[in-house]
Amino acid sequence: MREIRHRELATMLATGAQIVDVLPYHEYNSAHIHGAIHIPLGHILRDAPITLDRTRPVIVYCRDCLCDLSARAAAQLELLGFTDVRHYFRGKVDWMERGLPMYPPALLSERVRAFRYFVNNLAPELRKFWIHYTDRVRVAEFMRDDLVRLSPEDSVPPATPASPMPRAVVLNSEGILLGAIEQSDSAPRSLAAMNPAPQTIRPDMTPRLATQLLVSNRHLLVTTAMGKYLGRYLTA
């Protein structure tokens, strides 16, 4: 997986590369990079082998450089045997704010809302400084690294009565999150038993955001923007 910028992306698209939007349906439908194939993260393992051409480069993207969906999708594609996988790390926001082709064209309200993420893409140190300056409470303060770590081919042991939920994470050799084991039974292969799209959050984000995410998710896993697993979030 190699990170690319908008100019290289435009060149690759002009020469036949495939581009994949891994965001949820509503975000893809609101506006996506022109020509993008939609395969949400949770469907990559199932749909990519029958949708994508293994002989052509594949570029994945999500929202912006705080979103880890595309990094996790790239890791899943490599697991499936795709050999030329690129990662447009700055994502849809970068492409949209530069006025490059979108379908359907992005609404002005969406571009205004996305502008602060575009600024963060260009100057992430500003966000880091603000977080440090305000000394805000962060998700990392309520994180615990206590889940079993499995590789894709490891067997899944049966759950114990004290097992947390989820009870294990599935990682590639670089520590990127491939999925989470959320069932209690044993299984011969973790890859077949995992949820491939658990909800994640960055360690420097706030418990307030975590609380909002927990309304529609049973648990949160903490990762870097490049998808590397750090731990599970415990309610503040």
Side-chain angles (χ1 to χ4, degrees):
M1 172 178 58
R2 184 165 70 83
E3 180 187 342
I4 63 172
R5 301 291 176 88
H6 67 283
R7 290 189 180 88
E8 186 178 357
L9 171 55
T11 299
M12 292 185 69
L13 291 179
T15 56
Q18 306 161 99
I19 184 164
V20 180
D21 184 314
V22 301
L23 289 163
Y25 288 100
H26 70 279
E27 296 195 46
Y28 175 81
N29 291 336
S30 67
H32 56 266
I33 294 176
H34 187 72
I37 301 165
H38 188 220
I39 311 179
L41 175 63
H43 297 168
I44 290 286
L45 294 175
R46 183 193 72 188
D47 293 349
I50 59 176
T51 305
L52 302 177
D53 183 348
R54 292 179 182 271
T55 67
R56 295 160 56 200
V58 181
I59 305 156
V60 291
Y61 76 90
C62 54
R63 191 177 305 108
D64 57 66
C65 66
L66 295 177
C67 177
D68 73 341
L69 298 183
S70 55
R72 291 158 60 194
Q76 290 185 13
L77 287 170
E78 290 178 338
L79 184 67
L80 290 169
F82 286 83
T83 57
D84 191 354
V85 180
R86 315 293 178 96
H87 177 210
Y88 184 27
F89 179 58
R90 293 183 174 181
K92 181 170 81 169
V93 162
D94 184 62
W95 189 265
M96 178 171 58
E97 294 293 345
R98 293 179 186 278
L100 297 167
M102 304 285 293
Y103 183 84
L107 298 174
L108 177 61
S109 58
E110 184 170 2
R111 294 181 64 174
V112 169
R113 186 167 57 250
F115 184 72
R116 63 182 175 130
Y117 297 101
F118 176 66
V119 172
N120 180 65
N121 282 346
L122 298 180
E125 293 302 322
L126 291 176
R127 179 174 179 271
K128 291 180 181 178
F129 170 77
W130 178 251
I131 291 172
H132 176 75
Y133 177 76
T134 57
D135 195 26
R136 74 184 190 189
V137 178
R138 308 174 201 181
V139 161
E141 298 175 41
F142 305 95
M143 182 180 74
R144 181 179 297 172
D145 182 10
D146 61 348
L147 300 182
V148 175
R149 298 182 179 219
L150 301 173
S151 72
E153 297 302 322
D154 284 342
S155 60
V156 180
T160 64
S163 294
M165 181 59 65
R167 61 193 186 91
V169 288
V170 184
L171 312 177
N172 71 3
S173 60
E174 297 174 340
I176 296 176
L177 180 69
L178 298 172
I181 303 297
E182 298 172 345
Q183 42 86 5
S184 59
D185 298 330
S186 61
R189 292 175 71 233
S190 61
L191 183 64
M194 73 182 189
N195 169 9
Q199 179 65 56
T200 62
I201 192 170
R202 308 295 79 72
D204 60 1
M205 293 181 177
T206 65
R208 179 180 178 182
L209 174 59
T211 299
Q212 294 172 358
L213 292 172
L214 285 171
V215 171
S216 54
N217 296 278
R218 291 184 295 172
H219 58 79
L220 294 178
L221 299 177
V222 186
T223 62
T224 69
M226 291 300 292
K228 290 195 174 184
Y229 172 72
L230 300 175
R232 69 181 176 105
Y233 174 71
L234 303 178
T235 304

